[in-house]
Amino acid sequence: MSVHERKQRERAERERLIVATARELAERQGWDAVTTRRLAERIEYSQPVLYSHFRGKREIIGAVALEGAAEMASAVRAATSAADGPRERVAALAVTYLDFAARNPAVYDALFQLDGGLAYAREDTPEPLKDAFAALLETLAEVAGDGVHPGLFTEVFWASLHGLATLTRAGRLLPEEAAGRVELLVDRLAVV
């Protein structure tokens, strides 16, 4: 391995460490606790080293969002591929999405609530974000119904899931009704 390759590998490892540390800190204490100074202390590098990877917290949030999008897409695909039939796939998608949001609140916020400097629903949208949407579309396209654009249906279904995730997390919905909400969403929106 050349010196250049080793330095690139070390740089990538430092970047992964910064993102993992930011994510861990945000999951434990919230995004307000994530500062470049605290991150630099925790990873045991100087702030200038941190700034050589990310221009600031906004870019770190974006990196966490991209990592989270890839994880969510993988989880949705795994759940839907294990389900038999369109209704079961949609239900698995919904449960997996809501579970991801509940288990990873800081990542979910990085994806959908905070400004990570990422473009959404545009040509320059980063691939992990496009792929996360594609993971939803793959299952939801088959239940959109006649004459309904699959992408539009996916956006509406996703918006419903997002609403359930954020309202549940905020304590605005009774947790014991979660399964009933998913069943209603699947039965009323999905044409199976």
Side-chain angles (χ1 to χ4, degrees):
M1 173 182 306
S2 73
V3 171
H4 179 71
E5 289 172 329
R6 181 181 52 78
K7 285 185 178 188
Q8 282 184 318
R9 188 185 76 229
E10 289 170 354
R11 180 172 176 75
E13 288 172 10
R14 265 194 318 270
E15 195 164 297
R16 279 191 296 277
L17 177 62
I18 293 166
V19 171
T21 304
R23 181 175 175 167
E24 177 187 340
L25 187 56
E27 290 293 0
R28 286 186 181 172
Q29 299 177 24
W31 279 104
D32 287 342
V34 179
T35 64
T36 53
R37 187 179 55 143
R38 286 184 85 184
L39 285 174
E41 288 171 5
R42 288 198 178 211
I43 64 172
E44 298 178 346
Y45 284 102
S46 67
Q47 281 184 291
V49 170
L50 192 139
Y51 282 116
S52 74
H53 290 274
F54 298 99
R55 286 185 292 225
K57 183 176 176 177
R58 182 178 185 222
E59 284 189 5
I60 294 168
I61 291 169
V64 170
L66 293 176
E67 186 177 272
E71 291 171 10
M72 186 171 63
S74 177
V76 165
R77 285 188 175 109
T80 57
S81 69
D84 291 327
R87 186 195 185 289
E88 291 75 15
R89 282 190 287 281
V90 174
L93 178 150
V95 168
T96 301
Y97 182 98
L98 295 171
D99 182 59
F100 181 88
R103 284 184 301 104
N104 305 283
V107 173
Y108 193 81
D109 285 349
L111 270 164
F112 302 120
Q113 304 288 89
L114 302 174
D115 178 9
L118 303 173
Y120 285 79
R122 297 192 338 218
E123 281 296 314
D124 60 338
T125 298
E127 281 306 313
L129 298 179
K130 288 180 181 179
D131 189 53
F133 185 79
L136 302 176
L137 180 64
E138 290 161 10
T139 294
L140 295 171
E142 69 180 316
V143 298
D146 293 336
V148 178
H149 187 278
L152 182 61
F153 178 78
T154 300
E155 289 174 350
V156 171
F157 199 92
W158 170 32
S160 299
L161 290 174
H162 177 70
L164 290 175
T166 55
L167 290 170
T168 299
R169 187 165 134 205
R172 304 295 198 274
L173 300 175
L174 296 172
E176 59 269 15
E177 298 294 333
R181 284 186 205 97
V182 168
E183 188 173 319
L184 181 63
L185 181 63
V186 171
D187 288 344
R188 298 299 171 126
L189 281 184
V191 178
V192 286

